[in-house]
Amino acid sequence: MPRYALLILPAFNRVYGESSVRLTRSELAVFSTYGLGGKVLASEETTIGGVPYVTFETSEPLTQPDISLLSNLSSVYAIFGIEGELLRPLSMSSLDRLSSDLITIQKYAGKTNEHFTKLLLNVTLLAGAKGLAGAKGPGERLSVFDPLCGRGTTLNQALMYGYDAYGLDVDGKDFEAYTGFIKTWLRNKRLKHTAEIVPVRRERALVGRRLNVTFGLSKEAVKAGDVQHLAVVNADTLKSRDFFKPRSFDALVTDTPYGVQHGSKGGGGLSRSPMELLRQAVPGWAELLRPGGAMGISWNTYGGKSSELAQILDGAGLQVMDYPDFEHWVDQAIVRDIIVARKPS
């Protein structure tokens, strides 16, 4: 059987790093089932030269498109073919098309680990009808929505992949911080772009603010219409339908707040459990997904069981995926897990 080895990126977060090998194996299983036709037969943690790797066997040799797909694993640094006692490096080719500091430069309390954000986006998109790469024709970019986007970690990862990104968050300070960051980043990278903040009104009443950004990798790309779109709305997530049309997004990906009180202006006050917010929000979020689209949610299991969340998703007409174990310890008050569901085509 052909054998391969994944060299894992060192995680800046020590606690996440302790779980990264196990999480990579779970992520690899999703890639195999939904992207590689089940080619990966088994995986394990193997120490080679004193360094931990994830090694695995396949039913047939990986093709270059297979390797390109695996290049997007959230914690992979290098991919090798195992030949006896030797490792042969394989040519990686990920979807990333922007500088990695779009993901890493922001530092603030409560920021979700960027490796985990990428993992959540990956396994959500793989559950969808279009997969990870999606359509590649003009004007056919995948669109990703984060209805609790905070300061935009998920949005930035979606932009890295070449997708269009849309977000919504009720916190005005987070909206302003992200607006300032993305405008500065685009200017510093000298990318051709437009960026504006506009008020959103309904019946003459101000109901929110919206950041609209369009950019391309070069002037030539912009002239040819090869542009990405980013929009972020400062408003209550329960009002998502007021700002975005039904069937607008290929994926909805969000890391729910945990460890702190949270809520929405339209909800029943603040709570340490995300479940009440999700009960109110998920039906509206589901309407924003295109048929065949997928919803991925991470949450603190101390705030509710996976069976509760699965019932909420099922009640919204979504099909919960049978995924491997992604639960992992974050700190004494947070054990994080992932659930992914697909909207029927």
Side-chain angles (χ1 to χ4, degrees), residues 105-163:
I105 198 170
Q106 285 182 293
K107 305 293 182 185
Y108 54 89
K111 180 183 178 181
T112 304
N113 181 283
E114 50 258 31
H115 294 171
F116 176 76
T117 297
K118 187 174 182 179
L119 184 154
L120 177 59
L121 179 62
N122 283 345
V123 298
T124 303
L125 285 164
L126 285 167
K130 295 181 180 178
L132 198 62
K136 297 183 179 179
E140 296 182 338
R141 296 187 188 281
L142 287 173
S143 59
V144 175
F145 176 50
D146 183 349
L148 300 166
C149 67
R151 297 194 187 183
T153 305
T154 300
L155 306 182
N156 291 342
Q157 181 58 59
L159 294 175
M160 280 286 292
Y161 274 175
Y163 308 152

Side-chain angles (χ1 to χ4, degrees), residues 86-114:
L86 301 179
L87 298 179
R88 178 170 57 87
L90 302 178
S91 181
M92 296 176 63
S93 177
S94 72
L95 292 171
D96 291 347
R97 59 186 254 145
L98 299 171
S99 172
S100 62
D101 62 1
L102 174 62
I103 304 294
T104 60
I105 198 170
Q106 285 182 293
K107 305 293 182 185
Y108 54 89
K111 180 183 178 181
T112 304
N113 181 283
E114 50 258 31

Side-chain angles (χ1 to χ4, degrees), residues 290-303:
R290 293 176 178 141
M295 183 182 300
I297 299 172
S298 65
W299 84 105
N300 181 10
T301 61
Y302 287 139

Side-chain angles (χ1 to χ4, degrees), residues 66 95 104 178 193 221 234 262 280 323:
D66 294 338
L95 292 171
T104 60
Y178 183 67
H193 70 279
N234 176 208
H262 56 86
Q280 297 181 63
Y323 266 14

